[in-house]
Amino acid sequence: NNVSQNIDKIKVWANSYKEVSDGEICLVVINPNKDEINLLSTIGIVVYPYILQTNETINNSRLAYQIETLDKLDWSWVLITDVFDVIFQDDPFPKMTQGDITVASEGIYHSEEPWNIDVIQKSYPNKVELVKNKEIYCSGVIGGRKKSIIELLTQMDIIVMSGIKGHDI
């Protein structure tokens, strides 16, 4: 959301991908205006606009919008990334052909990262012991076969929506 406010970050992300790959760039955008959609289109981004229609936060709702978008795309392989946290240095797709799903690791455990353990404590208090010594996998970098990614995002969405409300997951 807030495309106009974040256009410079979006351009860095999109241009870094264009430098390493000739694949299409698609952006799921929440609550855009016409000018923002046009701006993204002029820089070569396929826009899938959605209006937030839930009491959930954008962060918690995005999985459903990503699933809906992927269903519409005629692609075999996909990569879903956070826009602000990723700069491409190489084409990611050749590295993803080893299996159905590729997910980046944060390289630390939930108990070692204050934001993550806080989310678990507030949203899933009965799961803290189960996950505190488990490695964090980054939901902001997920790629692979489209069908497998849709299945994974669907499972993630069910988990997110089952948490205690009031905190971004």
Side-chain angles (χ1 to χ4, degrees):
N1 67 328
N2 300 319
V3 170
S4 298
Q5 178 182 336
N6 296 302
I7 193 62
D8 291 336
K9 293 176 184 178
I10 294 168
K11 285 180 180 178
V12 167
W13 168 79
N15 289 335
S16 74
Y17 182 73
K18 290 176 188 177
E19 289 178 15
V20 299
S21 182
D22 60 358
E24 291 182 76
I25 300 172
C26 170
L27 188 61
V28 172
V29 183
I30 310 299
N31 302 328
N33 61 45
K34 284 185 179 184
D35 291 338
E36 291 174 329
I37 293 170
N38 290 336
L39 177 60
L40 292 170
S41 296
T42 62
I43 61 174
I45 296 176
V46 177
V47 180
Y48 280 84
Y50 296 92
I51 303 300
L52 188 64
Q53 300 197 11
T54 176
N55 291 333
E56 279 291 343
T57 65
I58 289 172
N59 191 55
N60 291 354
S61 301
R62 66 185 171 147
L63 295 168
Y65 296 125
Q66 291 170 345
I67 294 163
E68 186 175 335
T69 300
L70 290 175
D71 275 335
K72 296 174 185 176
L73 298 173
D74 188 26
W75 299 346
S76 299
W77 292 85
V78 298
L79 176 66
I80 297 171
T81 72
D82 289 342
V83 174
F84 301 164
D85 299 337
V86 174
I87 295 177
F88 294 93
Q89 298 177 16
D90 199 359
D91 186 348
F93 285 96
K95 294 173 182 73
M96 290 192 304
T97 59
Q98 304 303 313
D100 282 354
I101 296 175
T102 300
V103 180
S105 168
E106 299 266 343
I108 59 175
Y109 298 109
H110 287 279
S111 61
E112 299 171 320
E113 207 289 313
W115 187 88
N116 278 283
I117 200 66
D118 181 59
V119 169
I120 301 298
Q121 289 169 338
K122 289 179 178 174
S123 301
Y124 309 97
N126 60 336
K127 301 292 185 190
V128 173
E129 289 302 313
L130 177 68
V131 301
K132 72 179 185 181
N133 294 318
K134 304 263 186 204
E135 192 172 353
I136 299 170
Y137 292 97
C138 180
S139 64
V141 181
I142 300 174
R145 293 186 191 278
K146 183 179 92 166
K147 180 182 178 199
S148 298
I149 298 302
I150 289 172
E151 290 171 3
L152 175 62
L153 293 177
T154 300
Q155 291 174 14
M156 290 169 60
D157 188 50
I158 291 167
I159 293 168
V160 167
M161 292 304 155
S162 72
I164 296 171
K165 304 301 179 206
H167 193 75
D168 271 343
I169 300 173

